[in-house]
Amino acid sequence: MSDAELTVEVTGPVATVVIRNPARRNAMTAAMWRQLPVLLDGLEADPAVHALVLTGADGTFCAGADLGDLDELLDAGDASIAVAAEERLATLAKPTVAGIQGACVGGGCQLAVACDLRIAATDARFAVPPARLGLVYPAPTTRRLARLVGPSAAKHLLFTSELIDAERALRVGLVNEVLPPDALAARVAALTAAIAQRSRLTVAAAKEIVDDRADEERIAWWHGQVRASGEAREGVAAANERRPARFGWAPPADR
C-alpha cells in the first residue's frame, strides 16, 4: 500500500490539504494529481469552509511530480492531470494559501503559484526545472508564473532551473512573506483565520476580478449581490459600532 496521499484537516472555517509522500519528498504521483480536484470540489461545496491551506508533511512542501509517471504526463501535454489539478486549485472560489517549508520544486512550485498567497519558511527552496529535464513547461503554468513574478524573473527561473532561496523568492514576488520555520504554522493559521472573518462576498469577487475571470456582466452581478445581501450595511454598521462584523453572504448554489 502506498504512503503517497493527500489528506484533509478541517479546523473551524479553514481546511488544510496536506501533501504526503515521504519516500519521494512529497512528490505528486498520478493518483495524487487526480485526487486533488476531487478534494477541492468537496471543499468548495462545503459552506462551513471559508479558506484553504495547502502544505506539505514533515517539513517539505513538494519536490515536484513523481517522474515515475513521466510518460503519462508527456503524452498529455497541456491536457495533463497535473495541469487540470493546478487549474482547479487556481479557480477555487475560496481563498487559498500555500504554507511552504523545504523543497518547493517543479510540480510543487506549480501548485504554490496556483494558490492566492504563499507564506514561506526561511528554509524553503524554489525551482522550476523543465530546462534541466528537457521538458516544455505547460503554457497555463508558464503564464501564471509570469503574471506573478513578471517576465524577466519567470524567464530566469525557466531558463536556468536554478534553485533560489526564500529571500530571493520574496524579492521577485514569488512569495508574500518569509518567516522562521517554527513561526510558519502560526502565521498561516492567523492569516487564514483573519481572511475567514472577512466578507466572503468581497473576497470571492476580488479573487475573480484580480485573476481576470470576471467580465462586465459578472462584475455587475457582484455589485448586485452587495445590494441584495446587506453585506455593506453590516460592515459599515460594525465599523461605526466598533464591533466585529457579522457577515452572512454565501455563494448561491446556481452561480
Side-chain angles (χ1 to χ4, degrees):
M1 182 176 177
S2 174
D3 292 329
E5 61 178 348
L6 301 174
T7 60
V8 179
E9 304 164 2
V10 179
T11 303
V14 178
T16 300
V17 175
V18 182
I19 304 168
R20 299 182 186 277
N21 187 357
R24 298 280 191 139
R25 292 194 302 157
N26 296 338
M28 291 283 289
T29 65
M32 293 164 75
W33 286 118
R34 291 191 182 96
Q35 183 188 4
L36 183 57
V38 176
L39 291 181
L40 295 175
D41 286 347
L43 294 171
E44 184 166 278
D46 186 346
V49 173
H50 293 195
L52 180 139
V53 174
L54 180 66
T55 193
D58 302 323
T60 297
F61 185 74
C62 174
D66 189 327
L67 295 181
D69 302 313
L70 181 62
D71 286 343
E72 182 174 353
L73 295 174
L74 289 178
D75 289 345
D78 281 3
S80 74
I81 53 176
V83 174
E86 173 195 359
E87 290 299 304
R88 185 65 189 93
L89 178 60
T91 58
L92 192 76
K94 299 174 181 183
T96 55
V97 178
I100 304 165
Q101 273 191 269
C104 181
V105 175
C109 197
Q110 184 176 354
L111 290 173
V113 170
C115 290
D116 298 311
L117 302 172
R118 286 149 297 280
I119 311 300
T122 51
D123 65 356
R125 297 294 181 269
F126 303 82
V128 182
R132 193 172 69 239
L133 302 172
L135 302 172
V136 173
Y137 213 38
T141 309
T142 301
R143 293 186 184 111
R144 182 170 288 115
L145 176 65
R147 286 196 300 269
L148 180 64
V149 302
S152 181
K155 288 174 181 177
H156 178 269
L157 290 167
L158 287 160
F159 292 178
T160 68
S161 299
E162 186 176 74
L163 195 69
I164 66 170
D165 63 19
E167 289 299 330
R168 182 162 182 176
L170 181 65
R171 288 198 302 273
V172 301
L174 187 58
V175 300
N176 298 88
E177 299 179 29
V178 174
L179 303 103
D182 59 2
L184 180 67
R187 174 56 181 151
V188 170
L191 179 63
T192 50
I195 293 170
Q197 293 173 357
R198 304 299 184 240
S199 167
R200 296 174 70 187
L201 190 162
T202 301
V203 172
K207 178 167 179 169
E208 279 194 12
I209 294 167
V210 170
D211 290 347
D212 200 22
R213 292 187 288 111
D215 58 17
E216 290 185 6
E217 181 179 351
R218 181 65 170 176
I219 293 169
W221 182 88
W222 280 117
H223 286 300
Q225 288 291 295
V226 172
R227 292 189 295 273
S229 67
E231 291 281 279
R233 287 187 287 274
E234 166 59 18
V236 171
N240 289 336
E241 296 165 17
R242 297 185 179 181
R243 59 169 174 81
R246 295 183 288 271
F247 294 119
W249 180 87
D254 61 350
R255 81 186 187 108

